[in-house]
Amino acid sequence: ANVASTPQFYSMALPLVKEGFADSPSSRDGVSRLLELRMRSHGADLLLRATILLKLPQLTGASAAAILHRFYYRRSLLEFDVRIVAPAALLLACKLQETHRSLRDVAIVFARLRLRTLLGGNSASAAGPSSDDVAQLKQDIMSVERHILRELGFVAGTLLQHPHKYVLQFVKSFKQSIDWMLTELAQTAWNYLNDSLRAPLICEFQPHEIASAGIYLAAKKLDFPLPRDPPWCTIFDTSMDVIRRIATSMATVAAAPPLKDDEVTAIMSSQSGRRTLLRRRSTGNFSPFPETPLPLPSPQSDEAADDSLLPSPLPQPLPPRTAATTTAATAPGGARSRSRSRSGSGSPASKRQRRLCPSSENLLKLGLDPARVAELVE
């Protein structure tokens, strides 16, 4: 096989993690490298199985695996349960790849996967998850999704460059080979790339380097002759040292025994005391799944919204009594009010009499005798 005379393949460089597991948050919390790799592999396996059940494209599952691995380079496995981060990463990947699935569907699929695992793979006897379990899982997924967006800087879409899209380009460059051999080579390399999603290779190497390693492993398995003049790895903008390192990591992931759900539960429960201590030491009473506050009621108009943001006015004190107010009280109306204040004192009978007897001037105007009216009232 000969490589077509095409220019070298270049891709957009992604930010990489140079330290790997040596300086990950989980390793700083005391998690061994093998255990971290197995827990990451368990979470990636869950979301890849859910991708098939939800009938999502394979690139959506690859995006979710990349989000999961990058998130655990920011936060520890002891803080966030991998069984909650996996559905949150898949839900976020569905939004980024525009292959939308509802939160309810994602929660039900992951709840069924966990229930099927607990029952030993016997799906016939599974009655389905309860509504309370699904509701709780939905709340946890929404909480973790906010943490993922915050830790990735709300630019998760710019980090989704996958090695899968390079495989077909690289395989098509072997134009002198037989078509069915190229098809089998591409399919085998694609399978290796799917297995590589269980390891955080996308965080440590560039996508085109991982694609080259997948082609290298596929060629070794199929005894496919790779060109040496010019070297095929040079055309693909990589080196054999990097390809061998990636191939070794893929073999390590394939050889690592998978975790079961009860093993993950035992690990998380055994580390619960240490996890609580770490949270209190770092951020006080921090919880990885905070409750979502209720939204404020929407105002009726913009003016109401502006008024609702203003503080309530303080009660104003009464103005002091001055000489001007005293003078106003002695005006014609003031004399009347002063007579009322004097009439306020006295017996109830006298008050009733004053209330029933009109003034003498008014009686005279009506042609009545004031003395006679007084006698009748008494």
Side-chain angles (χ1 to χ4, degrees):
N2 296 322
V3 180
S5 58
T6 56
Q8 292 183 347
F9 292 90
Y10 293 99
S11 63
M12 184 182 69
L14 296 179
L16 303 179
V17 180
K18 297 181 180 180
E19 295 82 3
F21 290 115
D23 196 34
S24 65
S26 301
S27 64
R28 292 195 295 266
D29 292 345
V31 179
S32 64
R33 178 173 181 176
L34 179 60
L35 181 58
E36 181 176 358
L37 180 61
R38 293 179 65 190
M39 294 188 71
R40 286 172 177 264
S41 177
H42 179 71
D45 183 68
L46 281 178
L47 60 88
L48 291 177
R49 291 164 60 188
T51 300
I52 299 174
L53 295 177
L54 290 170
K55 298 180 180 180
L56 291 168
Q58 201 162 14
L59 287 181
T60 303
S63 302
I67 292 172
L68 181 140
H69 290 305
R70 288 191 176 273
F71 175 71
Y72 278 125
Y73 274 115
R74 298 285 300 174
R75 304 303 289 265
S76 174
L77 283 160
L78 299 184
E79 293 185 61
F80 293 87
D81 194 340
V82 70
R83 295 168 296 185
I84 309 297
V85 176
L90 184 60
L91 181 65
L92 182 58
C94 290
K95 299 175 182 178
L96 295 174
Q97 296 293 339
E98 297 185 357
T99 54
H100 300 285
R101 296 294 185 272
S102 65
L103 174 61
R104 178 178 177 273
D105 293 341
V106 174
I108 289 177
V109 166
F110 276 89
R112 285 184 176 275
L113 283 175
R114 185 174 184 181
L115 186 62
R116 185 181 302 176
T117 304
L118 294 176
L119 295 176
N122 187 6
S123 59
S125 60
S130 63
S131 58
D132 295 338
D133 295 339
V134 174
Q136 182 61 40
L137 183 58
K138 288 168 61 177
Q139 293 293 330
D140 294 341
I141 290 173
M142 289 188 294
S143 300
V144 174
E145 185 184 18
R146 293 197 301 268
H147 282 277
I148 293 175
L149 289 173
R150 185 178 66 181
E151 294 299 333
L152 297 184
F154 294 89
V155 289
T158 60
L159 304 175
L160 303 181
Q161 294 289 331
H162 306 297
H164 294 72
K165 71 175 185 178
Y166 295 98
V167 170
L168 298 180
Q169 300 179 21
F170 291 173
V171 171
K172 288 180 180 179
S173 63
F174 304 124
K175 292 184 177 180
Q176 301 298 325
S177 301
I178 306 175
D179 291 341
W180 67 268
M181 294 180 62
L182 294 180
T183 303
E184 190 173 359
L185 178 67
Q187 183 63 53
T188 307
W190 191 279
N191 295 337
Y192 277 113
L193 294 183
N194 291 338
D195 294 337
S196 69
L197 296 176
R198 293 175 170 83
L201 298 175
I202 194 61
C203 305
E204 302 174 8
F205 302 95
Q206 295 296 339
H208 67 278
E209 297 174 344
I210 303 175
S212 301
I215 294 175
Y216 173 76
L217 292 175
K220 287 290 184 181
K221 182 178 180 180
L222 300 174
D223 293 331
F224 185 86
L226 294 174
R228 296 183 179 181
D229 187 19
W232 66 277
C233 58
T234 304
I235 300 298
F236 296 160
D237 193 21
T238 185
S239 63
M240 287 304 301
D241 294 336
V242 174
I243 290 175
R244 291 190 180 96
R245 287 173 54 192
I246 298 174
T248 303
S249 300
M250 290 182 179
T252 304
V253 173
L259 279 176
K260 297 181 180 179
D261 189 87
D262 53 351
E263 294 178 348
V264 178
T265 303
I267 293 172
M268 299 301 294
S269 60
S270 63
Q271 298 288 346
S272 59
R274 176 180 174 81
R275 187 168 66 252
T276 304
L277 178 62
L278 289 172
R279 291 178 194 162
R280 292 177 180 176
R281 186 185 306 169
S282 59
T283 56
N285 296 325
F286 170 75
S287 173
F289 308 128
E291 295 294 335
T292 304
L294 294 177
L296 296 176
S298 58
Q300 298 295 331
S301 61
D302 296 339
E303 291 79 4
D306 296 338
D307 297 340
S308 63
L309 299 177
L310 298 176
S312 58
L314 297 176
Q316 299 294 332
L318 295 176
R321 190 177 183 85
T322 60
T325 56
T326 306
T327 305
T330 59
R336 180 178 173 183
S337 61
R338 189 165 53 251
S339 64
R340 287 180 181 176
S341 63
R342 292 196 205 97
S343 64
S345 60
S347 62
S350 61
K351 293 180 180 180
R352 179 173 177 273
Q353 181 179 0
R354 285 192 296 271
R355 185 169 61 250
L356 294 177
C357 295
S359 62
S360 300
E361 297 177 359
N362 294 334
L363 292 176
L364 292 175
K365 291 179 181 180
L366 296 174
L368 299 176
D369 187 5
R372 181 61 180 170
V373 172
E375 293 177 359
L376 294 174
V377 171
E378 294 177 354

